[in-house]
Amino acid sequence: MSANPFTIIATVPNMERVEAILGAEGARPDYFRLNLSHCTVQQAVDFLTAYNQRCGDIPIFLDLQGSKIRLLREQPTITVNAGEEVVVCSAPIAGKTCLLVDAQVVRTCIEACGTHPSITALIDDGKVELRLLHPTSDAFVPATVVRGGKVLPRKGFNLSPHPICLTTLTTVDHEFVVKTRVFPCVRYALSFVSDPREIVALRETVGRDAPCSRHARGCFVAAKLERALSVAETRALGAVSDEMWLCRGDMGSQLGLPGLAQFYRAFVHVMPSFGCPVILAGEVLDHMPMAGISTRSEVCHLADAVERGYTGCVLSNETVCPSTDNALAAIRLVRAVTAAAQADRIVGSPFGDWWAEAQRALAEAKKH
Ligand SMILES: Nc1ncnc2c1ncn2[C@@H]1O[C@H](COP(=O)(O)OP(=O)(O)OP(=O)(O)O)[C@@H](O)[C@H]1O
Ligand SMILES: CC(=O)C(=O)O
């Protein structure tokens, strides 16, 4: 069997899922990922202590929130319906259906509503959509639900264009980094980056002497591309990052789905010039968590990802989903499909003649 250079990063919610994955045949990912937005600093440290003992030789990405906006931890789980009136606020208000965000985000929404008549907020990658209305108080922003659904704590809250640009780490991320840099297996992924100074600040916070600073530039950092950026801005991020993740969940909320398609079409051609590996993230096998089977479309897209030169993918819901069986099946399927799609495997497959013909066609196209 040929080597499969396509790497798999599997998101895990807890050590039980790590154990289940490690104990299963043929479902071993190359890296794990823990999203720090869903745990406290102490929970992250406890998890990493156990992880380090069990499988510290497998690097794990710690995903930092950066400038990503999320509903607060205190957000009650509720269902909102299309047409319903709700409010966006930072603390519960009696008699109103509240969507809780940081006070700074409420202020940002109020300012934005003053200058733009129609602002949309997308929650949980667009599963719930709000139209923000003219605010009459500085405590909340009224909104109408355009697309109803379940609202859960800590889900992403997207305003487009994304209103926060950082040049350094937030206080919360700083605390996570200081407490987790002692684990040699740790790598970092930074959400919603827009400025290379954020990456530099992260490496400086980790420091050269930290146990996880085992790479050429110190600690390993993946920049998560999730918002509208120019080619020059993306190149500048690529120049200081060890790899970049194209995060299509949030990017789809930021650009809209037709916008994502337009951006994506051009992005793949510019990608080889970034000078660092690019990983595909967000809804890679979106049908697996619920259905336990992927669509043909998802499988073909994985083959395209190999062809385009993505060096791997991040599995999110696919491996945190309640069904361990479906999580294992997702990892196995990515492995099987991306291995089968490697050029040297196609040569010896029943499609070898197709591959030879494809190479001839590509060479011919290059001449013109
Ligand atoms: N450590 C965890 N504890 C509890 N639930 C988790 C944990 N990690 C992930 N989840 C659940 O799985 C979902 C998918 O995880 P994931 O981290 O990929 O998505 P996310 O919250 O949308 O963030 P991002 O956009 O950064 O990927 C989360 O929204 C959350 O509901
Ligand atoms: C994975 C991720 O962060 C996204 O697709 O938005």
Side-chain angles (χ1 to χ4, degrees):
M1 189 158 136
S2 62
N4 178 7
F6 195 86
T7 59
I8 300 177
I9 301 170
T11 306
V12 282
N14 49 43
M15 269 313 285
E16 287 71 46
R17 184 52 58 90
V18 173
E19 290 291 356
I21 290 173
L22 293 179
E25 185 80 15
R28 196 180 168 101
D30 299 279
Y31 307 98
F32 284 104
R33 165 181 176 251
L34 179 72
N35 192 340
L36 298 177
S37 295
H38 302 297
C39 47
T40 63
V41 173
Q42 193 53 51
Q43 284 167 338
V45 169
D46 292 346
F47 170 92
L48 287 167
T49 305
Y51 180 93
N52 196 48
Q53 274 175 10
R54 173 70 173 91
C55 54
D57 56 322
I58 307 176
I60 180 163
F61 283 93
L62 300 185
D63 202 317
L64 297 162
Q65 185 168 337
S67 64
K68 174 162 173 155
I69 304 173
R70 287 181 182 271
L71 294 173
L72 299 185
R73 228 174 271 285
E74 297 75 29
Q75 171 69 48
T77 297
I78 53 173
T79 299
V80 294
N81 300 303
E84 192 178 335
E85 299 293 313
V86 298
V87 296
V88 177
C89 50
S90 60
I93 301 174
K96 295 193 187 293
T97 302
C98 298
L99 301 176
L100 302 176
V101 291
D102 191 78
Q104 173 62 43
V105 175
V106 178
R107 285 195 290 278
T108 303
C109 291
I110 290 174
E111 274 168 33
C113 291
T115 46
H116 298 278
S118 174
I119 296 208
T120 295
L122 294 180
I123 297 171
D124 195 4
D125 292 344
K127 292 184 187 71
V128 172
E129 180 177 341
L130 309 178
R131 195 173 65 250
L132 303 187
L133 306 172
H134 187 69
T136 51
S137 146
D138 57 9
F140 64 88
V141 181
T144 304
V145 178
V146 177
R147 184 167 38 251
K150 202 167 179 185
V151 175
L152 295 149
R154 301 304 286 152
K155 288 294 179 189
F157 182 95
N158 264 278
L159 293 170
S160 176
H162 188 66
I164 307 171
C165 292
L166 299 175
T167 54
T168 187
L169 287 188
T170 62
T171 313
V172 174
D173 284 349
H174 186 276
E175 196 188 348
F176 269 115
V177 168
V178 167
K179 293 280 167 48
T180 56
R181 64 188 173 187
V182 297
F183 296 96
C185 52
V186 159
R187 295 178 167 206
Y188 292 98
L190 190 53
S191 303
F192 268 83
V193 277
S194 61
D195 190 311
R197 284 174 290 182
E198 291 179 76
I199 307 279
V200 173
L202 169 54
R203 284 219 184 82
E204 281 175 4
T205 305
V206 174
R208 273 273 164 195
D209 298 331
C212 72
S213 285
R214 303 186 302 163
H215 305 273
R217 287 188 276 203
C219 66
F220 189 103
V221 180
K224 292 175 69 188
L225 305 177
E226 323 201 53
R227 62 201 283 176
L229 295 171
S230 67
V231 174
E233 287 167 330
T234 308
R235 283 219 171 93
L237 289 173
V240 295
S241 305
D242 294 294
E243 72 190 19
M244 296 199 283
W245 296 359
L246 180 63
C247 295
R248 298 168 306 171
D250 284 290
M251 191 70 102
S253 298
Q254 287 292 315
L255 308 185
L257 295 183
L260 177 64
Q262 288 177 329
F263 165 74
Y264 187 85
R265 174 93 203 269
F267 178 87
V268 289
H269 295 287
V270 184
M271 198 168 85
S273 71
F274 289 146
C276 73
V278 181
I279 300 267
L280 200 58
E283 301 184 355
V284 174
L285 294 181
D286 202 38
H287 285 72
M288 282 304 262
M290 294 302 286
I293 184 168
S294 92
T295 63
R296 274 59 174 163
S297 175
E298 289 166 337
V299 165
C300 291
H301 183 45
L302 265 181
D304 280 337
V306 173
E307 165 87 18
R308 292 297 186 185
Y310 288 97
T311 56
C313 71
V314 179
L315 298 178
S316 296
N317 285 325
E318 296 92 338
T319 48
V320 258
C321 60
S323 162
T324 304
D325 285 348
N326 291 356
L328 300 177
I331 300 174
R332 289 190 185 112
L333 187 63
V334 175
R335 227 6 131 216
V337 169
T338 58
Q342 299 297 324
D344 57 340
R345 283 281 295 274
I346 307 177
V347 169
S349 78
F351 312 104
D353 58 337
W354 279 90
W355 187 246
E357 193 58 30
Q359 299 313 301
R360 269 195 294 278
L362 281 171
E364 197 57 36
K366 263 198 191 136
K367 282 193 215 149
H368 299 295

